[in-house]
């Protein structure tokens, strides 16, 4: 199996000014190609240390990919240093220069002279066109080693890697790794892991439990000679897990609850309207993150203050007085109110204490009520996150509201089938 | 100046399954302490490669900080490997064991035997208590070198670093680096940089231009013997920049536009209500990200469909027919509508095409109108991002809406002073 080392170049990374997402992107892509990564290194814009890092990497890996430091200024030295280590001369490339000129004229800007530096490419290498910026990338294969230099900005680097570098590295691609993710909500990581504990011992695919912001998921990873075979290995294990975890599974490889919910609503021809208090727009925002959400979502209200809950949603002031804004009763009236004024099939509501501190009602941060109201159903669920973290509590509140809608829409399907 | 190297340990990082945010956190903290970071390395849960990485790091740096791989399972080898390289024996620590037992009993869970592995600590080292998990950290100072091992989960590592490791490293702390950020909106990075081009040549503080999601900012970084002196160096340069960039500056060190806007509204005693189309809750969500936003924000509506704009906000169907939903006229009527129904001082609206594709009205993705309506002002601003990126367009739309509110609230202050 071929081994690749990733070198991120940039003093701004070492100062912590920017987060290095390039290394993660490349790690994932290389894993999917069946290329191992055993080391990642970050060095600043320092010639000596960069050269040393490249030499060390070449001594222990088949492929070295360096990102960053291809800019037009004097401290951008990655291409020059890497070529020096590889013994490759840089030559002026007319085509690259023309592209750079074209990039500036397309934006109606004059090109600074310094940008011509970016038109120098290794004479014995391959040039990777930059379709989203001025610095081309380059690849050199020589003496049994492969060196690739790529620009630092992710929106330049990522498309360049996918379009040009992946084919350039094809000969190194070994067994492929394919992953699949099974997402659950409301179950907790321990309970989820316990239900499938025997499967956590499997070797191909491997099954590993993870958690993220109020949900737990399992990642299945299979290694095989090609993607199709890897998927065949995953299938029976995935089916077994979904069978065991039942309704706690909200989706497989769907990415997140909002994608799954919007797609289900589309599939069933249902519409949704939102009434939000503590999440204040986050449920609606996440629904409309999905392109084409307008077929299922048309109307939402944010009733952050109690008087707005009464005035806009018709919540009974007596309910608020007796039970408080954060209560099952208020959540149900909010859901009924938004369904009535919107005419949607499903009204969904959220009310809760996000924190960071206790509310005047004396209830604890992390106490959340989510409710749905439809022609045939009224459901309210209570969640206690036990955390005093505003961002976390708001995100989890929105997720639970979406999950209530998802559960209703899924049952609707089953009911229809049974009829 | 002392030099520190950061080693992240974990196969899941090399596979790209998780993003390494620990390295960035440590980089920033160390920079602020005046400790240089010249190298960062990532290796997997592999004893040989980890030992080699630690030996290399110790040979070229004064301090080595390793994060991750302190868990209870067999593949967690960071502590054992680091201690072996340092020649430090691991001994069972009763206090650490008691803490781990207490952690489990506090969560009403039984402790697996394997967790006792985490109670072994270096006999010649310092133990850092883990207040958010079970694995303690450790620090060893020996033979002129310093080695620190920390748990991988950021919510365990970060508080441990701040509380215990920072004091442990105090003797290495050199000149401090202090940064200040000046945020602008609507100006663009090139124009911003041009206006202060002479200041970009300064050496202390340095001034560097950056951009992020629809805004440009300048980071000033000063090095001095203490924080107070560093702030004195920054002050006159910062003041000069703010003077030159004028109203494009929305804040200094405020973090983001929503924080600045909410704080300004609080200061001036103004209330705000939102009417959102393409952003669908994102403006309200960002306002209420700020704790205590409820004093300025009580009511928002999401009118994703045209019929809801008419029914809820009273937008004239003739306006929609003549100019379309994405128009100055519609934006202004939405802002007026939400102000009327909410009774807030300021009504703010957003309507635009987020993309990814062109709308039926034939207008381009990235075309955005934001408007405000108050007792004395009606303003609409048009923005064309030129990008077909839904997430970007929605974020920038929300930012521009918040900036309109910010500009109004700032002027209100000036008007009052003039009176």
């Amino acid at each position: 199996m071929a081994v690749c080392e990733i070198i991120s170049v940039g003093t701004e990374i070492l100062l912590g000014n920017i987060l290095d997402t390039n290394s993660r992107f490349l790690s994932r892509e290389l894993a999917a190609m069946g290329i191992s990564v055993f080391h990642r290194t970050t060095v600043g814009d320092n010639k000596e240390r960069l050269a040393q890092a490249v030499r060390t990497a070449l001594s222990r890996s088949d492929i070295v990919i360096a990102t960053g430091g291809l800019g037009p200024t004097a401290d951008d030295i990655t291409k020059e240093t890497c070529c020096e280590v590889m013994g490759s001369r840089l030559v002026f490339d007319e085509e690259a220069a023309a592209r750079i000129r074209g990039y500036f004229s397309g934006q109606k800007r004059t090109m600074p002279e310094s940008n011509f530096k970016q038109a120098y490419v290794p004479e014995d290498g391959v040039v990777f066109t930059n379709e989203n910026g001025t610095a081309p990338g380059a690849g050199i294969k020589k003496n049994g080693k492969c060196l690739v230099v790529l620009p630092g900005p992710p929106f330049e680097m990522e498309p360049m890697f996918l379009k040009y570098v992946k084919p350039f590295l094809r000969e190194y691609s070994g067994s492929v790794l394919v992953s699949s993710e099974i997402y659950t909500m409301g179950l907790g990581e321990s309970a989820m892991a316990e239900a499938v504990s025997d499967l956590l011992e499997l070797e191909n695919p491997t099954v590993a439990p993870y958690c993220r912001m109020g949900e737990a998921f399992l990642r299945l990873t299979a290694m095989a000679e090609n993607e199709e075979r890897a998927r065949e290995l995953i299938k029976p294990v995935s089916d077994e897990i979904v069978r065991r975890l039942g309704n706690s599974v909200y989706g497989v490889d769907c990415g997140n609850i909002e994608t799954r919910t919007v797609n289900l609503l589309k599939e069933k021809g249902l519409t949704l309207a939102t009434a939000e208090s503590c999440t204040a727009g986050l449920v609606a925002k996440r629904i409309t993150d999905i392109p084409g959400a307008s077929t299922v979502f048309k109307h939402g209200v944010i009733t952050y203050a109690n008087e707005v809950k009464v005035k806009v949603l018709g919540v009974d002031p007596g309910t608020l007085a007796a039970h408080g804004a954060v209560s099952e009763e208020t959540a149900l009236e909010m859901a009924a109110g938004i369904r009535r004024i919107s005419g949607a099939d499903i009204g969904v509501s959220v009310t809760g204490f996000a924190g960071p501190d206790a509310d005047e009602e004396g209830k604890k941060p992390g106490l959340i009520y989510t409710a749905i109201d439809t022609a045939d159903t009224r459901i309210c669920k209570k969640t206690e996150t036990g955390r005093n973290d505003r961002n976390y509590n708001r995100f989890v509140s929105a997720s639970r509201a979406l999950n209530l809608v998802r559960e209703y829409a899924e049952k609707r399907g089953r009911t229809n089938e049974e009829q």
Side-chain angles (χ1 to χ4, degrees), chain A:
Chain A
M1 199 169 181
V3 175
C4 178
E5 180 154 348
I6 300 166
I7 302 177
S8 309
V9 186
T11 301
E12 71 278 21
I13 305 174
L14 291 180
L15 286 173
N17 291 336
I18 63 166
L19 183 61
D20 176 16
T21 58
N22 287 343
S23 292
R24 184 204 192 173
F25 172 85
L26 292 172
S27 294
R28 290 176 101 144
E29 289 297 326
L30 292 162
M33 292 171 73
I35 296 172
S36 295
V37 176
F38 290 151
H39 295 89
R40 295 191 335 205
T41 306
T42 307
V43 288
D45 304 304
N46 173 287
K47 186 164 180 171
E48 194 186 317
R49 286 192 284 270
L50 173 58
Q52 184 55 51
V54 174
R55 278 192 292 267
T56 303
L58 284 169
S59 74
R60 62 192 177 192
S61 306
D62 306 296
I63 308 160
V64 176
I65 302 180
T67 60
L70 301 191
T73 64
D75 68 348
D76 293 303
I77 52 162
T78 303
K79 192 169 57 181
E80 294 74 4
T81 308
C82 286
C83 285
E84 208 175 296
V85 173
M86 283 296 266
S88 294
R89 216 163 56 94
L90 282 167
V91 292
F92 187 76
D93 186 80
E94 262 310 331
E95 207 182 310
R99 279 194 163 271
I100 298 169
R101 257 185 238 108
Y103 181 86
F104 278 91
S105 66
Q107 300 203 341
K108 299 193 178 59
R109 291 159 58 198
T110 8
M111 188 180 106
E113 270 302 304
S114 59
N115 277 83
F116 274 119
K117 178 166 176 282
Q118 299 180 315
Y120 282 82
V121 301
E123 60 176 348
D124 49 4
V126 171
V127 180
F128 306 128
T129 304
N130 189 336
E131 293 172 4
N132 301 283
T134 55
I140 307 170
K141 286 174 183 161
K142 207 159 140 177
N143 310 324
K145 298 285 176 179
C146 174
L147 181 91
V148 171
V149 294
L150 298 175
F155 65 92
E156 298 181 18
M157 189 282 285
E158 295 181 4
M160 185 185 289
F161 182 86
L162 295 174
K163 187 159 173 188
Y164 299 110
V165 185
K166 267 182 89 165
F168 182 72
L169 298 179
R170 187 155 293 146
E171 69 201 77
Y172 295 97
S173 185
S175 305
V176 299
L177 276 180
V178 173
S179 286
S180 174
E181 293 178 339
I182 300 173
Y183 303 100
T184 74
M185 201 175 298
L187 192 61
E189 191 183 355
S190 314
M192 177 187 75
E194 206 165 295
V196 298
S197 59
D198 53 322
L199 304 177
L200 302 181
E201 309 294 317
L202 291 178
E203 290 191 349
N204 198 18
T206 57
V207 180
Y210 294 89
C211 60
R212 65 177 187 190
M213 294 288 270
E215 44 185 89
F217 66 97
L218 292 160
R219 182 182 294 122
L220 286 61
T221 306
M223 182 179 273
E225 61 278 15
N226 58 49
E227 188 178 326
E228 195 188 347
R229 178 70 193 122
R231 297 217 177 272
E232 281 171 13
L233 291 168
I234 288 173
K235 181 81 169 53
V237 181
S238 174
D239 289 349
E240 172 63 16
I241 292 171
V242 170
R243 196 189 59 74
R244 288 194 204 175
L245 299 178
N247 190 43
S248 299
V249 173
Y250 73 72
V252 176
D253 293 328
C254 59
N256 54 44
I257 183 69
E258 51 267 35
T259 303
R260 174 71 182 138
T261 304
V262 168
N263 288 340
L264 251 180
L265 292 174
K266 275 187 194 171
E267 208 176 281
K268 314 259 170 164
L270 295 168
T271 58
L272 174 69
T274 54
E276 306 183 57
S277 188
C278 66
T279 47
L282 183 54
V283 177
K285 188 263 172 190
R286 287 174 61 185
I287 290 168
T288 54
D289 278 345
I290 318 303
S294 59
T295 56
V296 302
F297 176 79
K298 296 176 199 306
H299 188 179
V301 298
I302 300 153
T303 55
Y304 214 52
N306 279 357
E307 64 266 26
V308 185
K309 292 181 183 73
V310 172
K311 196 177 78 175
V312 175
L313 294 174
V315 171
D316 183 347
T319 303
L320 289 168
H323 305 283
V326 180
S327 65
E328 179 173 334
E329 292 77 6
T330 300
L332 284 166
E333 290 187 28
M334 286 173 67
I338 187 62
R339 187 167 79 89
R340 191 182 59 247
I341 65 173
S342 69
D345 297 314
I346 308 168
V348 64
S349 70
V350 192
T351 178
F353 293 127
D357 295 303
D359 192 272
E360 62 233 38
E361 293 180 22
K363 293 167 186 170
K364 274 194 185 162
L367 174 66
I368 302 153
Y369 291 91
T370 51
I372 57 165
D373 186 279
T374 73
D376 54 13
T377 319
R378 289 173 76 231
I379 299 173
C380 179
K381 282 201 181 167
K382 177 182 175 180
T383 304
E384 289 171 286
T385 70
R387 284 169 70 162
N388 188 16
D389 176 335
R390 185 176 181 82
N391 185 40
Y392 178 87
N393 288 335
R394 279 157 46 101
F395 188 86
V396 171
S397 301
S399 298
R400 295 301 168 97
L402 290 165
N403 196 41
L404 257 191
V405 175
R406 192 270 308 172
E407 287 178 327
Y408 171 76
E410 286 203 358
K411 276 193 210 117
R412 270 276 294 234
R414 281 207 288 279
T415 310
N416 290 348
E417 280 160 28
E418 281 161 16
Q419 284 167 349

XYZ file of all heavy atoms in Angstrom, chain A residues 61 105 108 173 200 318 386 390 419:
63
model
N 8.174 8.141 2.735
C 6.881 8.003 2.059
C 7.072 7.952 0.543
O 8.076 8.417 0.012
C 5.969 9.178 2.410
O 5.853 9.310 3.809
N -7.970 39.910 -15.667
C -8.795 40.706 -16.572
C -10.260 40.300 -16.424
O -11.154 41.134 -16.552
C -8.294 40.582 -18.013
O -8.475 39.255 -18.470
N -11.672 42.302 -13.959
C -11.443 43.724 -14.266
C -10.436 44.351 -13.302
O -10.617 45.469 -12.825
C -12.778 44.492 -14.247
C -13.776 43.965 -15.284
C -14.944 44.905 -15.489
C -15.902 44.385 -16.546
N -16.466 43.037 -16.229
N -3.067 4.076 -6.097
C -4.307 3.727 -5.405
C -4.364 2.227 -5.140
O -4.182 1.418 -6.038
C -5.488 4.167 -6.263
O -6.683 3.944 -5.580
N -19.186 -4.507 17.138
C -18.024 -3.621 17.279
C -16.722 -4.408 17.180
O -15.642 -3.837 17.042
C -18.079 -2.850 18.608
C -19.319 -1.985 18.850
C -19.215 -1.261 20.189
C -19.504 -0.966 17.732
N -53.499 32.194 29.973
C -53.691 31.351 31.150
C -52.724 30.176 31.167
O -52.220 29.775 32.230
N -29.132 18.619 30.281
C -28.255 18.656 31.444
C -27.037 19.539 31.242
O -26.107 19.518 32.034
N -25.418 27.311 25.684
C -26.448 27.906 24.828
C -26.424 27.340 23.405
O -27.449 26.932 22.858
C -26.204 29.424 24.776
C -27.251 30.221 24.036
C -26.910 31.719 24.151
N -27.891 32.540 23.475
C -29.053 32.897 24.004
N -29.366 32.489 25.209
N -29.892 33.643 23.323
N -52.839 0.477 4.859
C -54.233 0.628 4.449
C -54.570 -0.221 3.206
O -53.725 -0.426 2.363
C -54.537 2.100 4.163
C -54.697 2.897 5.454
C -54.693 4.394 5.221
O -54.372 4.854 4.141
N -55.003 5.142 6.264
